[in-house]
């Protein structure tokens, strides 16, 4: 059986021994790992390492780093998703899919037609849950990093702070201009920011505001997609244009 992969915010140095945190230990127990088993660890900087389980305590594991496999990775592509908050559990699915596709940052936004308004008392807990979903998706898809999650914040405030280099795209159901026309496949860029609205789409004033900031409107064809369908379709199209999908595979 192949070694299991687990995420740590920061990997210790080679040959270091440390006690796994409660969440990591719980996950290892669910997988029925035992003393002597080896596993892969990776952190936010892109470092990877092999480790072994040295000891099993009451509710924690003692791990020892065997070898650092690689140092921090060079960032080749930067794909930022600005996702206006959808209803229900759709955001969980969108975060998971965005992580698997390779998005580097997910910014949660509040727009004119956003129905799901954040509860200030629960916003922190919700963001923590989304971070755990992203960590799990990164582990399962063999990513070397976990996307950063930010927000929720007002849409136009967020958009104004995004990097100006690369492509800035807003996908809108009222636009008839397709991605092929706006962005020929022969033109590869390393940075792109993508805005996707909630159920009901974006308002005309929001589109005007985004255009004033340098965002280009893009349509997806004659049909209107549900937000949970639109997100993976849009991200896959943009990732393909950026050359991000050349070496991806299907996680087992």
């Amino acid at each position: 059986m192949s070694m299991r992969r687990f995420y740590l915010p920061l990997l210790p140095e080679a040959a270091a021994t440390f006690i796994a945190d409660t969440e990591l230990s719980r996950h290892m127990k669910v997988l029925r790992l035992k003393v002597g088993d080896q596993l892969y660890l990776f952190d936010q900087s892109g470092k990877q390492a092999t480790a072994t389980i040295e000891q099993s305590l009451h509710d924690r594991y003692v791990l020892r780093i065997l070898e650092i496999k690689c140092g921090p990775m060079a960032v080749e592509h930067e794909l930022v998703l600005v996702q206006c908050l959808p209803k229900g559990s759709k955001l969980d699915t969108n975060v998971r899919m965005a992580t698997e596709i390779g998005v580097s940052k997910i910014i949660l936004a509040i727009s004119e037609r956003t129905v799901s308004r954040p509860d200030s008392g629960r916003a922190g807990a919700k963001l923590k849950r989304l971070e755990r979903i992203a960590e799990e998706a990164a582990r399962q898809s063999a990513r070397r990093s976990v996307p950063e999650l930010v927000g929720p914040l007002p849409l136009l405030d967020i958009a104004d702070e995004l990097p100006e280099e690369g492509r800035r795209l807003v996908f809108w159901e009222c636009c008839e201009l397709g991605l092929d026309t706006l962005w020929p496949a022969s033109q590869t860029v390393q940075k792109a920011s993508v805005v996707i609205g909630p159920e009901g789409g974006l308002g005309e004033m929001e589109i005007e505001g985004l255009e004033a900031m340098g965002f280009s409107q893009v349509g997806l064809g004659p049909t209107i997609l549900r937000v949970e369908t639109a997100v993976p379709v849009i991200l896959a199209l943009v990732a393909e244009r950026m050359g991000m999908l050349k070496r991806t595979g299907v996680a087992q």
Side-chain angles (χ1 to χ4, degrees):
M1 183 179 67
S2 60
M3 285 191 285
R4 301 285 187 173
R5 298 179 79 251
F6 299 93
Y7 169 78
L8 290 177
L10 181 64
L11 272 174
E13 297 300 321
T17 299
F18 66 100
I19 299 176
D21 63 29
T22 303
E23 180 66 22
L24 175 56
S25 296
R26 183 196 64 79
H27 195 183
M28 292 167 65
K29 284 183 180 293
V30 169
L31 295 172
R32 299 182 179 180
L33 298 182
K34 59 186 183 299
V35 173
D37 286 347
Q38 293 189 8
L39 54 146
Y40 277 119
L41 302 174
F42 69 104
D43 68 12
Q44 185 59 31
S45 73
K47 287 196 302 184
Q48 297 186 79
T50 54
T52 186
I53 303 174
E54 289 221 322
Q55 187 179 356
S56 177
L57 305 177
H58 175 65
D59 60 349
R60 307 279 284 275
Y61 284 99
V62 178
L63 305 179
R64 180 167 58 88
I65 300 293
L66 299 176
E67 180 186 7
I68 300 292
K69 288 291 187 181
C70 54
M73 61 181 175
V75 177
E76 296 182 357
H77 302 96
E78 184 179 333
L79 175 53
V80 177
L81 166 63
V82 179
Q83 170 68 78
C84 298
L85 294 176
K87 294 185 293 185
S89 62
K90 297 173 185 176
L91 187 57
D92 296 3
T93 301
N94 291 352
V95 166
R96 176 177 59 79
M97 291 183 174
T99 301
E100 291 177 0
I101 289 170
V103 167
S104 54
K105 187 174 184 178
I106 302 171
I107 305 177
L108 308 180
I110 303 168
S111 59
E112 175 187 331
R113 297 173 184 171
T114 296
V115 175
S116 178
R117 296 285 170 169
D119 182 337
S120 58
R122 300 173 58 188
K126 185 172 184 179
L127 194 62
K128 286 291 185 184
R129 190 186 78 253
L130 293 173
E131 288 173 347
R132 290 195 296 270
I133 291 172
E135 290 172 9
E136 176 68 11
R139 183 188 66 81
Q140 291 182 339
S141 60
R143 276 190 62 163
R144 288 180 55 192
S145 65
V146 179
E148 179 186 2
L149 275 122
V150 179
L153 296 167
L155 172 60
L156 296 183
D157 290 351
I158 291 171
D160 196 35
E161 297 297 322
L162 291 171
E164 294 184 4
E165 61 267 28
R167 295 281 182 172
R168 290 179 136 197
L169 307 172
V170 52
F171 283 80
W172 194 37
E173 66 276 9
C174 296
C175 179
E176 297 182 357
L177 183 66
L179 191 61
D180 285 337
T181 303
L182 179 69
W183 184 354
S186 59
Q187 297 179 4
T188 300
V189 300
Q190 293 185 311
K191 294 186 178 183
S193 300
V194 174
V195 175
I196 301 177
E199 299 88 349
L202 297 170
E204 291 187 8
M205 292 186 65
E206 290 174 319
I207 294 295
E208 292 175 2
L210 290 168
E211 284 191 312
M213 298 175 195
F215 282 79
S216 300
Q217 293 184 42
V218 189
L220 284 176
T223 62
I224 297 178
L225 304 182
R226 296 170 67 94
V227 65
E228 63 270 35
T229 305
V231 167
V233 169
I234 290 169
L235 293 179
L237 288 171
V238 175
E240 191 275 333
R241 284 292 194 280
M242 295 175 68
M244 293 172 56
L245 304 183
K246 291 180 180 179
R247 297 183 60 187
T248 59
V250 179
Q252 299 298 321

